[in-house]
Amino acid sequence: GAVVSQHPSWVICKSGTSVKIECRSLDFQATTMFWYRQFPKQSLMLMATSNEGSKATYEQGVEKDKFLINHASLTLSTLTVTSAHPEDSSFYICSALQGVSGRARQETQYFGPGTRLLVL
Amino acid sequence: AQKITQTQPGMFVQEKEAVTLDCTYDTSDQSYGLFWYKQPSSGEMIFLIYQGSYDEQNATEGRYSLNFQKARKSANLVISASQLGDSAMYFCAMRELDSNYQLIWGAGTKLIIKP
């Protein structure tokens, strides 16, 4: 269980275009999903917390108008990189929060396989 | 001050040996959770093991166990009988109370298993 998919896995686009990345929880419902960015040889950097049916909460320094997040259902969150530029090239990875029945506070983030974005 | 510290940037271990990956944490919360994730070169983050601050027993999941020493604020990951497929980055993470389920991440340890 606890499978999260992410699509696409790879995307190459021209500067100025927008790119949409989908994150789906396949076998559980997730009211909360997270979007991260990871630079080479570094740890994960949280971009935003996505809650189903409400606006995402962005971390300091993350432009909400550039990185649009929509969590329209309990199994799908999308990240749209608008007007992408070469500095947006990175590895983007999402996670979905799954609770553990009978184990309070053991909610665990399960991750998708990630999306490598290259903006030319 | 760093909340999660992984002091080993990289480790080489012989196949079939046990390996311990260090993680120390800093929090003033009484209730918190500690997680370990594995990230192979493919990029996916794989959940390995969880330890709650109130759990009396050390967590175990197959070949993975967590050596939880609360007084020392350490949560080391122990991998028994290492395999070539264990080669990956390993991240320690902590969730504090009232954190909206967000995780605080360590810098990671790159583990390479030698045949």
Side-chain angles (χ1 to χ4, degrees):
Chain A
V3 179
V4 177
S5 70
Q6 198 170 330
H7 178 81
S9 54
W10 260 104
V11 59
I12 302 172
C13 67
K14 291 183 178 180
S15 185
T17 61
S18 293
V19 175
K20 180 186 280 189
I21 303 169
E22 293 186 349
C23 179
R24 294 181 186 272
S25 55
L26 298 184
D27 53 358
F28 66 102
Q29 294 183 330
T31 56
T32 303
M33 293 185 174
F34 300 89
W35 286 96
Y36 293 88
R37 185 172 178 177
Q38 187 178 32
F39 293 101
K41 301 188 190 303
Q42 292 189 22
S43 188
L44 299 182
M45 183 184 77
L46 179 65
M47 298 176 67
T49 302
S50 169
N51 292 297
E52 187 267 337
S54 64
K55 290 184 179 180
T57 303
Y58 290 82
E59 294 302 298
Q60 193 171 10
V62 178
E63 299 176 58
K64 60 180 69 174
D65 294 330
K66 181 166 188 63
F67 298 100
L68 299 178
I69 291 172
N70 186 296
H71 194 156
S73 79
L74 288 172
T75 58
L76 174 63
S77 176
T78 61
L79 168 69
T80 300
V81 184
T82 62
S83 187
H85 290 286
E87 58 265 29
D88 298 324
S89 299
S90 191
F91 183 65
Y92 293 87
I93 190 167
C94 71
S95 69
L97 191 69
Q98 187 196 43
V100 178
S101 177
R103 293 293 303 269
R105 301 188 299 276
Q106 197 185 325
E107 294 83 359
T108 298
Q109 291 187 33
Y110 289 91
F111 285 80
T115 297
R116 298 189 188 278
L117 170 64
L118 177 61
V119 184
L120 302 176
Chain B
Q2 296 222 357
K3 289 217 166 191
I4 296 285
T5 303
Q6 294 181 254
T7 57
Q8 306 150 312
M11 286 186 73
F12 285 88
V13 172
Q14 200 69 38
E15 188 181 8
K16 299 181 185 176
E17 289 183 353
V19 57
T20 298
L21 304 180
D22 295 341
C23 174
T24 58
Y25 59 92
D26 182 26
T27 182
S28 56
D29 286 355
Q30 296 301 308
S31 177
Y32 52 89
L34 297 156
F35 299 79
W36 277 93
Y37 286 86
K38 171 185 178 181
Q39 187 177 39
S41 56
S42 60
E44 183 177 4
M45 294 288 283
I46 302 167
F47 166 67
L48 296 178
I49 197 166
Y50 166 86
Q51 179 83 42
S53 58
Y54 288 118
D55 293 341
E56 294 181 352
Q57 305 259 358
N58 284 344
T60 60
E61 290 286 349
R63 293 187 299 114
Y64 305 107
S65 61
L66 203 151
N67 184 359
F68 181 45
Q69 298 189 42
K70 197 170 181 177
R72 293 186 176 187
K73 293 188 174 177
S74 75
N76 297 340
L77 177 71
V78 179
I79 306 173
S80 63
S82 58
Q83 303 170 355
L84 295 178
D86 294 333
S87 295
M89 282 290 289
Y90 287 81
F91 292 96
C92 178
M94 175 175 66
R95 186 182 67 233
E96 296 178 299
L97 194 66
D98 296 332
S99 64
N100 197 25
Y101 303 107
Q102 292 179 5
L103 295 175
I104 302 167
W105 295 87
T109 295
K110 186 172 179 66
L111 175 64
I112 296 175
I113 307 298
K114 300 182 293 182

